[in-house]
Amino acid sequence: GGGGGRASVSLLDEFRASGGKGRSWDLAAIEGHVVAFAQDQHGSRFIQQRLEQSSGHGAGKGNSQVSKSSGARAGEETELVFLEVLPRAHELIVDVFGNYVVQKLFEHGTEEHRAVLLSLLGGHAVRLAMQMYGCRVIQRALEVVDPVLLVPLIKEYSGAVLECVHDQNGNHVIQKCVEVMSAPRRFQGQGGGDEDMSEHIQFILDAFKGQVKALSAHPYGCRVIQRVLEHCTKRHKDAVLDELLGLDQDQRSQNEGPTTESGENENCEDNNPPAFQEPSLEPTQEASQELAGGQEGALGGATGCGASSRRVSPRVSPRAASVDVALIKDQYGNYVIQHVIQYGRAGDREAVVARVRRDLFSFA
């Protein structure tokens, strides 16, 4: 049963009128009508809450028999939702309210549920990434599924990387691919250890070659470049930094050094309903202070006289001269430059600050 027609409408009306109270409203009560509820604002929230509660059953303390009974009942409720959603999953993934139910199944379903839902995304990764609600489901899958199982899905973006980056929805998915596949995968079982998954996004970095400055000045592209600087391995990050700063081979060798200490990437979650978070274009406090400090240093001078220091144009190294002033001034590129200060190599930081000091008054 898909859950539609007059019976579903009548049940939904009863649910709305009662506010979910007055009778025993659980997922068993809407059996046969799950899809109709999933496509309704209030019904979708009800299913989400029940799936969240179900995933917590059996984990608490107390009578073990009660816990086992509750756990079994919770598993049955999750299975009920999964079985009714499955035939209509493609429809719900792109639905304004239904997408949240699919996200919750990824989040709170069994490994088997996740594997089946992931298979449904296969062959549709690019289309869904550029759809307002589909992109949220893709991101949730990237967050909760074992990265090894994600490799075939991520490979679907090969040949469509720049198309997705330039898209208002697709850019979020490429950001998430960069973030998830740059983190080492923890081995389970004996021995432990980490597995480097970054090779599986090499094609994304390859697509950026020759495009880094243009992407940095793009409203969506700048977000992806920021995620690269935050999360990527040194090899991938260095390639982007070299192109961004216009470094030749000699300058690259001079620029080797420890990377600056990076802050923790904060991910805010909208808990009800769960939706993707718009990456902030606000400058980080640390980077802003660094730029401000550089500007104050240029103003201060050795004499402490503002008027005389304005007549001095400090000489900068060829490396600093290669820093693109247009990006520093750009409404989007400046955020990338701030990330260079926060996450780049020591030489990168010095080069940017030196360039800001030299051209301070052109930024006013």
Side-chain angles (χ1 to χ4, degrees):
R6 294 177 185 173
S8 293
V9 172
S10 175
L11 194 64
L12 262 172
D13 287 342
E14 182 184 346
F15 176 80
R16 290 197 205 99
S18 69
K21 301 173 183 177
R23 61 171 278 184
S24 179
W25 286 105
D26 56 17
L27 291 176
I30 65 169
E31 185 174 1
H33 308 282
V34 168
V35 171
F37 269 67
Q39 292 173 317
D40 175 79
Q41 181 179 2
H42 304 289
S44 173
R45 186 173 290 116
F46 166 67
I47 295 173
Q48 291 173 63
Q49 290 170 345
R50 291 297 302 185
L51 288 174
E52 287 175 354
Q53 292 165 10
S54 293
S55 70
H57 276 317
K61 298 178 180 179
N63 186 295
S64 60
Q65 288 299 112
V66 173
S67 294
K68 287 179 182 177
S69 174
S70 298
R73 197 160 55 246
E76 290 171 3
E77 286 196 331
T78 304
E79 183 74 6
L80 182 154
V81 174
F82 173 75
L83 291 176
E84 290 197 32
V85 162
L86 191 58
R88 304 276 292 276
H90 282 292
E91 181 183 346
L92 292 174
I93 286 168
V94 295
D95 183 79
V96 60
F97 303 120
N99 80 88
Y100 296 118
V101 172
V102 180
Q103 287 186 58
K104 285 297 180 188
L105 282 172
F106 265 114
E107 198 173 343
H108 300 293
T110 65
E111 292 294 336
E112 290 75 17
H113 292 159
R114 280 194 277 272
V116 173
L117 291 171
L118 184 66
S119 71
L120 294 179
L121 302 179
H124 306 280
V126 175
R127 175 180 63 84
L128 292 174
M130 293 192 282
Q131 203 275 339
M132 184 181 297
Y133 308 118
C135 78
R136 304 178 184 189
V137 174
I138 295 278
Q139 287 176 81
R140 186 67 71 204
L142 291 170
E143 289 173 349
V144 302
V145 174
D146 186 328
V148 169
L149 302 179
L150 292 171
V151 171
L153 183 77
I154 289 174
K155 291 297 183 188
E156 290 190 31
Y157 296 109
S158 180
V161 172
L162 293 180
E163 183 183 5
C164 288
V165 169
H166 288 116
D167 182 79
Q168 62 179 336
N169 302 307
N171 80 87
H172 296 291
V173 171
I174 301 300
Q175 288 181 61
K176 190 63 70 174
C177 289
V178 166
E179 179 184 339
V180 168
M181 302 307 278
S182 294
R185 175 180 178 264
R186 206 70 163 135
F187 275 126
Q188 303 297 321
Q190 291 184 339
D194 293 333
E195 179 182 4
D196 183 7
M197 301 298 294
S198 65
E199 64 180 273
H200 299 296
I201 56 167
Q202 181 63 53
F203 72 92
I204 294 179
L205 278 297
D206 289 343
F208 294 165
K209 288 179 181 175
Q211 303 286 329
V212 172
K213 287 188 179 181
L215 289 172
S216 297
H218 187 274
Y220 308 138
C222 75
R223 300 170 177 176
V224 180
I225 299 299
Q226 287 175 72
R227 297 299 87 75
V228 169
L229 296 179
E230 288 173 7
H231 299 289
C232 272
T233 59
K234 184 179 186 301
R235 176 170 58 92
H236 286 158
K237 189 187 297 187
D238 285 357
V240 168
L241 285 167
D242 289 344
E243 185 176 329
L244 185 63
L245 300 175
L247 301 182
D248 58 29
Q249 190 62 47
D250 291 337
Q251 290 169 327
R252 282 189 202 120
S253 61
Q254 295 169 20
N255 214 29
E256 284 301 320
T259 56
T260 58
E261 185 178 344
S262 62
E264 195 71 24
N265 182 36
E266 295 179 1
N267 288 319
C268 300
E269 287 291 336
D270 181 1
N271 294 321
N272 190 19
F276 70 91
Q277 184 73 24
E278 280 279 334
S280 174
L281 288 181
E282 292 302 313
T284 61
Q285 184 177 7
E286 179 184 338
S288 297
Q289 289 172 346
E290 182 66 36
L291 281 174
Q295 292 168 358
E296 289 167 5
L299 281 169
T303 63
C305 175
S308 63
S309 65
R310 290 183 189 182
R311 291 191 293 269
V312 177
S313 179
R315 299 182 67 177
V316 298
S317 68
R319 189 166 51 198
S322 70
V323 177
D324 193 339
V325 174
L327 273 182
I328 297 176
K329 294 179 177 181
D330 187 79
Q331 61 178 327
Y332 305 114
N334 81 89
Y335 298 115
V336 173
I337 296 298
Q338 291 182 58
H339 267 58
V340 171
I341 292 173
Q342 187 171 0
Y343 298 98
R345 301 159 297 200
D348 303 329
R349 184 188 190 103
E350 294 164 5
V352 171
V353 173
R355 189 63 191 244
V356 170
R357 284 175 173 161
R358 173 185 165 180
D359 295 282
L360 175 65
F361 296 103
S362 73
F363 301 135

